[in-house]
């Protein structure tokens, strides 16, 4: 079996009557509501950040060859670009598990499109390899290589990191309005958010959990918590269904 099971004898919370549990839950609910309100306030401040202009003609490589940042908007007013890390020349199994985790959640985009937002991957590697990886994973998110313009697109930011950048278009001019990295890109993910609602959480060693909670997902000799048996977790279903994971022609 590719995926781990929580042991049957794993520690569980105390068992109480429903009324007692609901009282504790109501106390927690107050903190959750405060957390939501603070998130709303932060989002309101984010909308008020000043922006900087970016050269709209910066080159990308896409399915039709050389294109531009402006064309990546696909006619919409806003663009959310995920700058995927890339290990050029490496096989699919050695590509970034964190970026695979993020991009695997970019499925249904119509809700974003309805608000005039395009989502695209601007990979930090060659287009042909990245396109094969996208096809192997069965993704439909628009994919480009940002290699020709990385130094100007990621100004002042370390290349190779996970970056999510928000742009807005005003006719033929492009402006950067926000960017985030590391845990900030968890906004792309739903799996972790759902794990956080379960009794054992993410089952990772960094979490503040009671003694005895299963926390077997951690880094060992460089193995990422988003890998299993030497591959990013999302790849196993594709491999086992017979999909070709070769990234070189």
């Amino acid at each position: 079996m590719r995926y781990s099971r929580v042991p049957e004898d794993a520690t569980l919370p105390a068992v109480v009557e429903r009324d007692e549990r609901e009282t504790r839950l109501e106390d927690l609910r107050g903190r959750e509501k405060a957390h939501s309100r603070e998130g709303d306030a932060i989002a309101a401040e984010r909308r008020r950040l000043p922006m900087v202009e970016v050269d709209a003609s910066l080159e990308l490589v896409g399915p039709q060859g050389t294109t531009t940042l402006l064309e990546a908007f696909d006619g919409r007013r806003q663009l959310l670009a995920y700058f995927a890390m890339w290990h050029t020349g490496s096989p699919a199994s050695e590509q970034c598990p964190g970026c695979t985790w993020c991009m695997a959640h970019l499925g249904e985009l119509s809700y974003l499109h309805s608000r005039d937002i395009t989502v695209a991957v601007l990979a930090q590697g060659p287009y042909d390899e990245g396109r094969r990886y996208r096809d192997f994973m069965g993704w439909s998110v628009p994919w480009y290589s940002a290699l020709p313009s990385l130094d100007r697109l990621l100004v002042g930011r370390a290349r190779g990191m996970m970056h999510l950048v928000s742009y807005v278009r005003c006719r033929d001019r492009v402006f950067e309005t926000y960017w985030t990295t590391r845990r900030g890109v968890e906004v792309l993910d739903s799996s972790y958010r759902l794990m956080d609602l379960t009794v054992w959480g993410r089952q990772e060693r960094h979490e503040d959990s009671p003694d005895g909670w299963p926390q077997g997902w951690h880094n060992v000799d460089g193995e990422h918590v988003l890998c299993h048996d030497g591959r990013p977790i999302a790849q196993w279903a594709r491999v086992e269904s017979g999909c070709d994971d070769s990234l070189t022609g």
Side-chain angles (χ1 to χ4, degrees):
M1 179 173 293
R2 297 290 182 191
Y3 309 107
S4 64
R5 298 274 190 184
V6 175
E8 288 295 330
D9 59 353
T11 304
L12 288 164
V15 178
V16 298
E17 296 298 325
R18 182 172 292 274
D19 286 349
E20 180 179 345
R21 200 287 307 274
E22 291 300 310
T23 297
R24 292 280 299 275
L25 179 57
E26 192 60 30
D27 290 341
L28 181 63
R29 195 79 73 211
R31 296 177 62 191
E32 289 178 335
K33 289 178 180 178
H35 180 71
S36 295
R37 287 191 290 269
E38 178 62 12
D40 291 342
I42 291 171
E45 184 66 21
R46 187 182 296 118
R47 291 192 293 271
R48 289 166 171 79
L49 285 173
M51 59 189 186
V52 294
E53 187 162 7
V54 180
D55 185 350
S57 66
L58 287 177
E59 289 188 3
L60 307 175
V61 180
Q64 306 304 319
T66 300
T67 186
T68 66
L69 179 63
L70 180 64
E71 290 171 321
F73 279 73
D74 197 24
R76 299 185 180 91
R77 289 294 306 277
Q78 300 178 87
L79 171 67
L80 280 171
Y82 181 72
F83 287 80
M85 297 171 62
W86 195 258
H87 303 298
T88 302
S90 296
S93 60
E94 296 178 13
Q95 294 303 325
C96 175
C99 290
T100 300
W101 153 72
C102 290
M103 295 183 292
H105 291 84
L106 291 174
E108 182 54 71
L109 301 178
S110 61
Y111 296 102
L112 290 161
H113 292 171
S114 74
R115 307 299 172 92
D116 217 11
I117 302 167
T118 290
V119 178
V121 172
L122 273 54
Q124 301 180 60
Y127 175 75
D128 287 344
E129 288 187 15
R131 178 189 55 79
R132 292 188 184 99
Y133 191 64
R134 188 196 76 153
D135 293 348
F136 161 61
M137 293 302 303
W139 298 332
S140 58
V141 60
W143 190 289
Y144 303 88
S145 168
L147 271 180
S149 304
L150 266 182
D151 289 338
R152 298 181 66 185
L153 286 166
L154 297 181
V155 176
R157 303 191 282 274
R159 288 173 54 171
M161 295 300 298
M162 307 156 71
H163 295 286
L164 182 63
V165 183
S166 177
Y167 300 97
V168 67
R169 177 179 64 83
C170 182
R171 298 183 180 85
D172 60 353
R173 298 173 69 188
V174 172
F175 302 87
E176 180 186 308
T177 63
Y178 177 75
W179 68 272
T180 188
T181 188
R182 297 185 179 271
R183 290 198 65 180
V185 303
E186 283 186 14
V187 69
L188 294 171
D189 167 61
S190 59
S191 295
Y192 265 178
R193 295 292 182 267
L194 292 171
M195 291 178 196
D196 286 341
L197 300 181
T198 68
V199 67
W200 290 312
R202 304 182 185 190
Q203 301 172 45
E204 297 175 4
R205 288 194 175 179
H206 69 85
E207 287 182 288
D208 179 6
S209 295
D211 291 341
W213 251 233
Q215 291 185 301
W217 290 90
H218 58 98
N219 289 329
V220 178
D221 296 330
E223 182 180 3
H224 199 282
V225 294
L226 303 170
C227 279
H228 196 66
D229 283 359
R231 279 184 180 271
I233 291 169
Q235 291 185 9
W236 278 114
R238 307 298 295 172
V239 171
E240 291 169 352
S241 67
C243 296
D244 181 8
D245 67 349
S246 174
L247 302 184
T248 56

